Amino acid sequence: MSQADAQRRVQAAMIDSDALSPEGSASVQNRGGTAYVAIPRRLVEHYEIEPGMSLSRAFHPESSALIIPLSDDVNLFE
């Protein structure tokens, strides 16, 4: 098994579990007064995210975390 195959299996296992999966850093881009951060390609492909798709967002002040569920099956505000 190659290193890339091993890494993909570990990442797949992390996606399928409830563990926090660090996705590395990303640069913020600005357009028209709005800041954008890229979603990693493997997550875009896994969750079939397309341009223009609407995603929910929430902010957790205690951790300063912006929460964005990638599946529209998750409703943060129920």
Side-chain angles (χ1 to χ4, degrees), residues 1-15:
M1 175 185 320
S2 73
Q3 180 65 30
D5 288 337
Q7 185 177 4
R8 275 193 288 275
R9 287 183 183 201
V10 168
Q11 289 172 339
M14 290 186 339
I15 286 175

Side-chain angles (χ1 to χ4, degrees), residues 12-78:
M14 290 186 339
I15 286 175
D16 293 338
S17 75
D18 291 334
L20 184 64
S21 173
E23 293 298 330
S25 61
S27 298
V28 176
Q29 300 174 2
N30 291 299
R31 185 176 352 137
T34 301
Y36 294 88
V37 177
I39 299 170
R41 182 164 202 74
R42 67 178 189 80
L43 293 176
V44 168
E45 292 170 354
H46 179 80
Y47 290 101
E48 299 177 354
I49 298 170
E50 298 180 4
M53 185 176 188
S54 182
L55 300 173
S56 320
R57 299 175 295 183
F59 179 70
H60 185 248
E62 190 174 318
S63 64
S64 296
L66 181 62
I67 302 166
I68 304 172
L70 300 178
S71 170
D72 59 1
D73 296 337
V74 177
N75 185 345
L76 294 173
F77 310 107
E78 284 186 333

